[in-house]
Amino acid sequence: MPLSDDGVREHLRGVAAGLLTPFDGDSEIQHAKIQENADALYDSGIGTFLAAANISEYHSLSREERVDVTESAVDTLPSDACVLAGVGGSTAEARELIRAYDRVGVDGMMVMPPDHSYIHEEGLIRYYEKLDAATETPLVPYVKGFDPSVRYLRNLTHVDGVVGIKYAIEDAVKLGAAVPGSADDVVWVDGLAEPFAPSFWAEGAEGFSAGVSNFRPEVGLALFDALSNEEWERAREIRNVALPYQNLREGTGEGNTIANAISVPVVKKGLELAGLNGGAVREPIQGLSEADERRAEELYDQLDDDIERVIG
């Protein structure tokens, strides 16, 4: 049975790991490997999971595949885990996907950043209102890819059904300005992973999405404990453990000038190095070059040493 709204809110106050989609050499989804990853992360202490998310290669999945990978997560995880499913596209498409997710039994809908060429803040509010009208399941809008106003962020929290906001804008000041006027029962989540967790926490965030914690969950769990206990110096030290590998995710890769192009394959490489399942990627994402593979291996070894030194 899906969690209550309050149950979802409580899970958002923690570390949310993305469930990446392992593809085989023929670009087919390996569902058993998704489940192995989910089980391992849960056993390590992660309780909140993002299925069919950006990091899951949402836009390379068909509607049916989005439902299938989410169902794989729901089927394998215990009932006390929280599964948020990625949903987006046109209003009609999003409502259809929401209904399919409801049949699967997800705990919440993570509404993906708008991928429309032209958007309007009030139009976006109406979009969320229409999605909310299609379900009793709570919504967690993912704010990324445009520069929203403080007014918009506050208004978003007052949409019925919204229990949390995944905030992925590199602007801690704007977050701090939006939080005081937002609904009291909405949880703000740092959507930019460990690097921004301390600064966003100081401005009102109560949870964060995983970066290196997708494959080394002890980093995120230790960082969350430090932030919860207001151990700021330790929090920054743990954050710094994640930075070198996280910085690699911002790279362009070879034969390319677009930033963050290797973000997903770098995390998939981390999963493999940690003994989990990464698998291949689908176009338009490109796999790592030999040079980037070697760099990821070097930084993983450094990460391993730093975890032992700082976290133990």
Side-chain angles (χ1 to χ4, degrees):
M1 183 175 178
L3 297 169
S4 66
D5 289 8
D6 283 342
V8 174
R9 290 186 184 96
E10 188 57 34
H11 275 79
L12 293 175
R13 298 182 178 100
V15 185
L19 291 174
L20 283 78
T21 308
F23 300 107
D24 64 18
D26 296 320
S27 204
E28 296 296 321
I29 298 170
Q30 298 176 295
H31 287 275
K33 293 188 175 182
I34 295 174
Q35 293 181 318
E36 289 174 8
N37 288 350
D39 289 338
L41 288 167
Y42 178 85
D43 290 343
S44 297
I46 298 293
T48 307
F49 298 85
L50 310 178
N54 257 350
I55 203 168
S56 314
E57 300 178 66
Y58 175 91
H59 294 93
S60 296
L61 300 174
S62 69
R63 175 195 171 280
E64 291 75 16
E65 287 173 332
R66 291 166 188 162
V67 176
D68 288 346
V69 298
T70 300
E71 189 168 19
S72 290
V74 171
D75 284 350
T76 196
L77 288 164
S79 60
D80 63 342
C82 178
V83 177
L84 303 179
V87 58
S90 71
T91 302
E93 290 172 328
R95 286 164 65 103
E96 182 181 2
L97 186 53
I98 282 172
R99 286 189 284 268
Y101 284 148
D102 274 337
R103 290 191 291 271
V104 167
V106 302
D107 300 293
M109 310 291 174
M110 185 178 67
V111 187
M112 302 294 285
D115 57 1
H116 307 73
S117 296
Y118 307 105
I119 57 175
H120 189 288
E121 289 185 343
E122 292 185 9
L124 275 175
I125 295 295
R126 289 196 298 275
Y127 176 71
Y128 289 114
E129 289 173 342
K130 289 185 176 183
L131 299 192
D132 175 56
T135 182
E136 296 296 319
T137 305
L139 306 181
V140 180
Y142 183 4
V143 180
K144 181 181 175 71
F146 68 106
D147 187 21
S149 68
V150 169
R151 176 180 176 273
Y152 166 78
L153 292 171
R154 289 173 174 169
N155 287 343
L156 185 55
T157 70
H158 292 282
V159 173
D160 289 342
V162 170
V163 299
I165 306 288
K166 184 179 178 183
Y167 179 86
I169 306 295
E170 294 185 7
D171 190 339
V173 174
K174 180 168 287 186
L175 172 62
V179 169
S182 65
D184 292 339
D185 59 351
V186 167
V187 179
W188 290 88
V189 178
D190 158 28
L192 293 173
E194 299 93 356
F196 285 82
S199 56
F200 282 11
W201 198 278
E203 299 293 354
E206 299 179 85
F208 57 91
S209 60
V212 301
S213 304
N214 285 305
F215 53 87
R216 294 302 298 265
E218 63 267 47
V219 175
L221 295 171
L223 178 56
F224 179 77
D225 285 345
L227 292 168
S228 297
N229 294 320
E230 299 184 358
E231 297 172 353
W232 307 118
E233 183 175 352
R234 176 164 173 76
R236 288 190 293 271
E237 188 176 22
I238 297 169
R239 183 270 315 276
N240 291 344
V241 166
L243 284 181
Y245 203 93
Q246 279 290 102
N247 288 342
L248 180 62
R249 295 182 62 191
E250 299 177 3
T252 63
E254 292 187 6
N256 174 60
T257 61
I258 302 172
N260 303 303
I262 59 174
S263 180
V264 171
V266 165
V267 175
K268 286 192 166 185
K269 181 65 176 179
L271 284 164
E272 297 285 352
L273 292 170
L276 298 171
N277 305 293
V281 296
R282 275 185 181 170
E283 68 284 345
I285 298 176
Q286 178 81 0
L288 297 178
S289 67
E290 290 185 4
D292 286 328
E293 285 239 5
R294 288 194 299 271
R295 183 58 178 155
E297 290 167 357
E298 293 169 358
L299 290 177
Y300 184 88
D301 288 341
Q302 178 184 334
L303 174 65
D304 201 33
D305 291 342
D306 288 344
I307 289 173
E308 178 65 26
R309 175 178 55 84
V310 174
I311 299 173

